[in-house]
Amino acid sequence: MNALAVEAAAAPEWAGRVIVRAAGHPLLHIAAEGVVTPAVPVFTVALECMPDTEQGPGVRPWDGSVTESAICQACLRALRGEQEPEKPRLVPAGVAEELPVPASEPDPRGSHLSAAPHPVTYAEALLPAEHAGWLITWSRWTTAPVITHYDPSCGWCGDAGPGEMAGGLQGHPASTSVPFRRFIAYRCTACQEMTAYEHVGSDLQTIAHHKSRATKDCNR
């Protein structure tokens, strides 16, 4: 059934064309010029948006109301000779795009654009390799646990923390030649202030200190 037979006020651009509906799709389609309604209810015809019948879906004539909002927009664009809208360019995952360089000159609105400075970084604090003439074996740095009622912020730069800690061993409990000692070190990941201690009974004795090059309270 054509659009004129369905709706008296049909738009001129699809007047006289066969209107069909594809199974499983809510939009109506406009059949290509010259297509007539066949005898069988389900058929494949050339559509304005899909002129190749081998690629087109199975359709049936539509005998309901026809409005522009109900018709496939691709069919309407093809019928009117309009270009397809440009599809957005997809960027593959994991591929970084180069951002535009901020202008060094003031923009017409009177504001200046400038790149944000990179945060200041400091060389990683080195753990002492030995103590009392014997080598120390250190573990990797790990995030220090947060203890209740203990401020984890850095006492030098004021970074909120928590910082990192590492454990060290010297000798072996069963060794008779190398004294067995245990060590622990704490450092601030922001300014690299670091202190290493030896466990002596229930106390900690400082064996090394790496002074930060950061300004006092710079991260408060």
Side-chain angles (χ1 to χ4, degrees):
M1 182 173 291
N2 61 42
L4 288 178
V6 174
E7 187 177 79
E13 59 260 37
W14 70 76
R17 295 292 187 91
V18 175
I19 305 297
V20 295
R21 186 171 196 171
H25 296 274
L27 293 176
L28 304 178
H29 292 272
I30 302 174
E33 186 176 5
V35 172
V36 296
T37 306
V40 293
V42 178
F43 56 98
T44 299
V45 300
L47 306 176
E48 284 293 336
C49 66
M50 187 69 69
D52 186 355
T53 57
E54 293 185 0
Q55 300 292 327
V59 298
R60 60 182 174 83
W62 177 249
D63 56 3
S65 62
V66 180
T67 60
E68 182 170 327
S69 61
I71 292 183
C72 164
Q73 293 301 305
C75 281
L76 289 175
R77 284 193 294 269
L79 187 63
R80 297 166 180 168
E82 299 174 354
Q83 296 292 328
E84 289 291 322
E86 184 178 352
K87 295 181 179 180
R89 185 171 62 89
L90 300 179
V91 178
V95 176
E97 280 197 290
E98 185 176 352
L99 297 177
V101 178
S104 57
E105 297 296 326
D107 66 17
R109 295 167 295 181
S111 61
H112 290 74
L113 300 178
S114 59
H118 293 290
V120 179
T121 57
Y122 301 94
E124 182 177 313
L126 297 178
L127 292 164
E130 62 176 19
H131 177 65
W134 302 98
L135 296 178
I136 303 175
T137 302
W138 291 98
S139 67
R140 292 183 178 181
W141 289 106
T142 58
T143 302
V146 177
I147 303 173
T148 306
H149 304 305
Y150 174 77
D151 183 5
S153 62
C154 175
W156 176 255
C157 74
D159 182 76
E164 292 183 327
M165 61 181 294
L169 291 176
Q170 192 180 80
H172 188 274
S175 174
T176 57
S177 58
V178 181
F180 177 68
R181 293 186 175 98
R182 292 184 299 117
F183 306 89
I184 192 167
Y186 296 93
R187 73 171 179 179
C188 171
T189 55
C191 72
Q192 295 298 317
E193 180 85 359
M194 187 274 293
T195 305
Y197 306 90
E198 178 186 359
H199 287 273
V200 180
S202 60
D203 296 327
L204 294 176
Q205 292 185 0
T206 302
I207 63 168
H209 179 70
H210 177 86
K211 187 64 177 177
S212 173
R213 297 179 61 187
T215 306
K216 176 68 173 176
D217 296 331
C218 61
N219 289 316
R220 292 192 186 277

